[in-house]
Amino acid sequence: MSLDQPAIAIIGSGAVGGYYGSRLAQAGHDLHFLLRSDYDAVRTNGWTIHSCDGDFSLTPDQFHAYNDPTLMPKADLVLVTLKATANAQLGSLIRPLLKDDTLILTLQNGLGNEEQLADLYGQDRIIGGLAFVCINRGQPGHIHHTDHGLIAIGEYQGPPTDRVRRLAGMFNSSRIRCRILDNLRHGRWEKLLWNIPFNGLGAAMDTTTDRLLASPAGIELVRDIMKEVLAVAHADGVDLDPKLIEQKIDHTRTMQAYRTSMQIDRQTGRPMELDAILGQPLRVASAHHVPMPLVQMIARQLQALDNSQNYPD
Amino acid sequence: MSLDQPAIAIIGSGAVGGYYGSRLAQAGHDLHFLLRSDYDAVRTNGWTIHSCDGDFSLTPDQFHAYNDPTLMPKADLVLVTLKATANAQLGSLIRPLLKDDTLILTLQNGLGNEEQLADLYGQDRIIGGLAFVCINRGQPGHIHHTDHGLIAIGEYQGPPTDRVRRLAGMFNSSRIRCRILDNLRHGRWEKLLWNIPFNGLGAAMDTTTDRLLASPAGIELVRDIMKEVLAVAHADGVDLDPKLIEQKIDHTRTMQAYRTSMQIDRQTGRPMELDAILGQPLRVASAHHVPMPLVQMIARQLQALDNSQNYPD
């Protein structure tokens, strides 16, 4: 990746892509957003970011907007912020942007994203990341960033490298707090420890985090689901500290009535990231012959509710 | 029970009690309604029944209304139509009405109601029944009867007796279609075969019957839950025909977007009949060492959502 003035492509310019891309452009980087529904609004009016860290906006001359990846220039870094439900398009959307040394960083949810990118483009250029951010789209071109914002990145395979440290430096100098993960898989499972119970139950039951934690029965259910995740992570070579269970539950209490992304997707009739957040972990569990009966039941409920087949990605 | 002009007490004059009691009063029987929230409205204005079988109303001189069971006369027949969530009150509400030969007929949902009544008043006077009726309360004193209406009654213990046949005759001559059950337990399990998946998932997922049956995943989930019910019924001595599974699913399709009573209770913040419809069957399963993992998970979700502790019965 070129060090000075890298060309950065954002694939999937929803809330996450729009927010992090705008932060990078605000810091003077060369940003190329691939947009779909917000294309006209963003090309005409730029980005408006309502942020808990201070509002800001970008005028259209501060970045480039596209609605077709074949019209985009080759990139040094491709930041993948597509919803994982749209991963069938990873081939057609990213291939036109690649040079021999283009890096691909995915900030998507769940398991399996790096694997799918590596299958398409080789594992050497893949970097994985997690976004810890509360963010929503507003009217076209508007993003509401309500809390947090940290990203954590690591090599898809192996320990952190120089290129990961350079990327982290770029983010941190662009007002995006970025940590380096010694072990990406560990980070993914730790995030799943929260996402599986809260996104899963939140969407299956259409209920917010506070209500799930309002009764001993709800807390025990969340805890038992987390125990299933811990066991499967262990079988997958990741030892999560069991103390994380109570820590995550305690932290979630501070979030009050939080609607998870999957609950919002259910309520708005959009596809849920069911496969990335529950399906892939269940396949890992099955491969290791580790039972996950509670997660399996939630996945079945979500499959029954899933709208993916009715909505284009 | 006296044959001519029996005094009939309705304990729990919600939609079911109000409807069936009004039908009996309309036919000239001597009806005594115990009311709570609708007491003033019903005592002043009588009952108004909006029925798919023809609207009708009762003036206050056609029945007796009470808000205290100790003010009611002794009854020949006590019809129990309380929500099962209020069963802790079976003792205080019914005892003042009993003579030596008073019969008690429960039309409540789920398992365990006859057992609780038998524990309190002896098994000899207990008759069990099932109501197959789509019915809701409207404004105070108004009931909306939208579909069906059949009741099925049988002895709590043993085959049908003369008194059951007399009761069935009384209902049938009062425009209440009534069948006699050779085996009450069989009838209860057959009703649970529908109630457990559709009330359970409907409330846990806040979803209507049509949506549960809109995808292969949803149908398979309903089917697997029904298989669990079939296995536990078998262990409990009731052999349900496995063909009932597809019959009940097919019949449910004809009901379109049906909100089960438990889903409505969830949406309106009222206590759900969780123990009668899921808890008791789970205890039977446990006593017979028959696994019910899917039903168990639904029960845990409903416990997490349950409002019983916050609302008086």
Side-chain angles (χ1 to χ4, degrees):
Chain A
M1 186 182 91
S2 316
L3 261 180
D4 36 65
Q5 203 57 343
I8 302 172
I10 306 283
I11 301 304
S13 305
V16 172
Y19 173 72
Y20 288 114
S22 292
R23 281 278 178 219
L24 291 167
Q26 183 191 29
H29 288 286
D30 177 25
L31 262 287
H32 302 264
F33 293 90
L34 178 66
L35 294 125
R36 201 182 42 166
S37 55
D38 287 11
Y39 173 68
D40 288 326
V42 170
R43 192 187 48 157
T44 309
N45 305 314
W47 285 108
T48 303
I49 316 292
H50 310 268
S51 173
C52 53
D53 297 333
D55 298 350
F56 67 100
S57 57
L58 295 178
T59 52
D61 62 320
Q62 292 180 277
F63 61 89
H64 305 273
Y66 310 84
N67 61 0
D68 178 348
T70 65
L71 303 178
M72 297 173 75
K74 303 291 181 195
D76 297 298
L77 172 65
V78 174
L79 199 57
V80 184
T81 47
L82 276 183
K83 251 174 97 168
T85 50
N87 276 359
Q89 299 170 46
L90 288 173
S92 58
L93 298 183
I94 295 176
R95 194 169 300 282
L97 313 173
L98 297 186
K99 301 183 295 186
D100 285 348
D101 64 347
T102 302
L103 293 183
I104 303 176
L105 167 59
T106 168
L107 288 179
Q108 299 168 283
N109 271 327
L111 283 189
N113 302 299
E114 291 89 1
E115 286 75 0
Q116 290 177 63
L117 289 165
D119 281 348
L120 288 165
Y121 306 118
Q123 67 175 51
D124 290 349
R125 59 167 101 225
I126 312 299
I127 297 171
L130 311 168
F132 299 91
V133 63
C134 297
I135 205 160
N136 280 296
R137 296 165 82 159
Q139 60 188 98
H142 286 246
I143 291 169
H144 297 270
H145 167 219
T146 54
D147 207 356
H148 303 289
L150 172 75
I151 62 176
I153 65 175
E155 285 287 346
Y156 167 45
Q157 300 289 0
T161 54
D162 220 42
R163 64 186 191 179
V164 166
R165 283 183 280 274
R166 287 207 309 276
L167 276 180
M170 179 185 78
F171 286 121
N172 279 310
S173 63
S174 305
R175 303 193 58 187
I176 298 166
R177 199 154 62 91
C178 180
R179 281 195 197 145
I180 292 171
L181 292 167
D182 291 334
N183 181 329
L184 176 66
R185 196 84 178 165
H186 192 287
R188 287 239 168 256
W189 276 113
E190 186 175 334
K191 195 170 181 200
L192 285 168
L193 188 65
W194 193 91
N195 268 334
I196 289 177
F198 288 105
N199 268 285
L201 292 175
M205 297 165 64
D206 197 5
T207 192
T208 47
T209 54
D210 61 326
R211 193 159 178 203
L212 284 173
L213 298 179
S215 66
I219 295 167
E220 199 57 32
L221 182 57
V222 166
R223 200 176 271 144
D224 285 349
I225 292 167
M226 288 184 167
K227 286 179 187 164
E228 288 189 358
V229 179
L230 226 64
V232 176
H234 175 75
D236 196 41
V238 169
D239 278 315
L240 297 176
D241 186 346
K243 285 188 194 132
L244 283 170
I245 291 180
E246 298 309 317
Q247 285 171 16
K248 299 230 173 239
I249 288 173
D250 287 344
H251 175 72
T252 307
R253 282 187 225 277
T254 69
M255 296 163 61
Q256 301 186 338
Y258 186 72
R259 288 196 305 159
T260 63
S261 64
M262 222 188 244
Q263 189 192 4
I264 294 173
D265 285 338
R266 172 185 167 165
Q267 291 178 339
T268 53
R270 288 197 293 255
M272 297 184 280
E273 292 183 312
L274 171 53
D275 192 69
I277 295 179
L278 289 99
Q280 293 281 0
L282 279 166
R283 278 189 279 280
V284 173
S286 174
H288 292 291
H289 306 290
V290 178
M292 253 193 157
L294 302 180
V295 176
Q296 180 73 55
M297 173 62 167
I298 299 169
R300 296 184 71 177
Q301 292 179 315
L302 291 172
Q303 279 177 315
L305 293 166
D306 193 25
N307 303 296
S308 298
Q309 56 271 56
N310 306 323
Y311 292 79
D313 280 323
Chain B
M1 187 181 90
S2 317
L3 262 180
D4 37 65
Q5 201 61 338
I8 304 172
I10 305 284
I11 301 303
S13 306
V16 172
Y19 173 72
Y20 288 114
S22 293
R23 281 277 178 219
L24 291 167
Q26 184 191 29
H29 288 285
D30 177 25
L31 263 288
H32 301 263
F33 293 91
L34 179 66
L35 294 125
R36 201 182 44 166
S37 55
D38 287 11
Y39 172 69
D40 287 327
V42 169
R43 193 188 46 156
T44 310
N45 305 312
W47 285 108
T48 305
I49 315 293
H50 310 268
S51 170
C52 54
D53 297 332
D55 298 350
F56 67 99
S57 57
L58 295 177
T59 52
D61 61 319
Q62 293 180 275
F63 60 88
H64 304 273
Y66 310 83
N67 60 0
D68 179 347
T70 65
L71 303 178
M72 297 173 74
K74 303 291 182 196
D76 296 297
L77 171 67
V78 174
L79 199 55
V80 184
T81 47
L82 276 184
K83 251 174 98 169
T85 52
N87 276 358
Q89 298 171 47
L90 288 174
S92 59
L93 299 183
I94 294 176
R95 193 169 303 281
L97 313 174
L98 297 186
K99 302 182 294 185
D100 285 349
D101 63 346
T102 302
L103 293 183
I104 302 177
L105 167 60
T106 166
L107 288 179
Q108 298 169 284
N109 271 326
L111 283 190
N113 302 300
E114 290 89 3
E115 285 77 359
Q116 291 177 63
L117 288 165
D119 282 349
L120 288 165
Y121 306 117
Q123 66 175 51
D124 290 347
R125 59 166 101 226
I126 311 301
I127 296 171
L130 311 168
F132 299 92
V133 62
C134 298
I135 205 159
N136 280 295
R137 294 163 83 159
Q139 60 188 99
H142 287 245
I143 291 169
H144 297 270
H145 167 222
T146 54
D147 208 356
H148 302 290
L150 173 75
I151 63 176
I153 65 175
E155 285 288 345
Y156 167 46
Q157 301 288 1
T161 53
D162 219 41
R163 65 188 190 178
V164 166
R165 281 183 282 273
R166 285 206 310 275
L167 276 180
M170 179 186 78
F171 287 121
N172 278 312
S173 63
S174 304
R175 300 192 61 185
I176 298 168
R177 199 154 62 91
C178 180
R179 282 196 198 146
I180 292 171
L181 292 167
D182 290 333
N183 181 330
L184 176 68
R185 197 84 177 164
H186 192 287
R188 288 243 168 252
W189 276 112
E190 185 174 334
K191 194 170 181 199
L192 285 168
L193 188 65
W194 192 92
N195 268 335
I196 289 177
F198 288 105
N199 269 284
L201 292 174
M205 298 166 64
D206 197 6
T207 193
T208 45
T209 54
D210 60 327
R211 193 159 177 203
L212 284 173
L213 297 180
S215 66
I219 295 167
E220 199 57 31
L221 183 55
V222 167
R223 201 177 270 145
D224 284 351
I225 292 166
M226 287 184 168
K227 286 178 189 165
E228 290 189 357
V229 179
L230 225 63
V232 176
H234 175 75
D236 195 40
V238 169
D239 278 315
L240 297 176
D241 186 345
K243 284 188 195 133
L244 283 170
I245 292 181
E246 298 310 316
Q247 285 171 15
K248 298 230 175 238
I249 289 173
D250 287 343
H251 175 71
T252 307
R253 282 187 224 279
T254 69
M255 295 163 61
Q256 302 186 340
Y258 186 71
R259 290 195 305 158
T260 62
S261 63
M262 221 188 243
Q263 187 191 4
I264 293 172
D265 285 338
R266 171 184 169 166
Q267 291 178 340
T268 53
R270 288 197 293 253
M272 296 184 280
E273 292 184 311
L274 172 52
D275 192 68
I277 294 179
L278 288 100
Q280 293 280 2
L282 279 165
R283 278 190 278 280
V284 173
S286 174
H288 292 292
H289 308 288
V290 178
M292 253 193 157
L294 302 180
V295 176
Q296 180 72 54
M297 173 62 166
I298 298 169
R300 298 185 70 176
Q301 292 179 317
L302 291 172
Q303 279 177 315
L305 292 166
D306 193 25
N307 303 297
S308 300
Q309 56 270 58
N310 306 322
Y311 292 79
D313 279 324

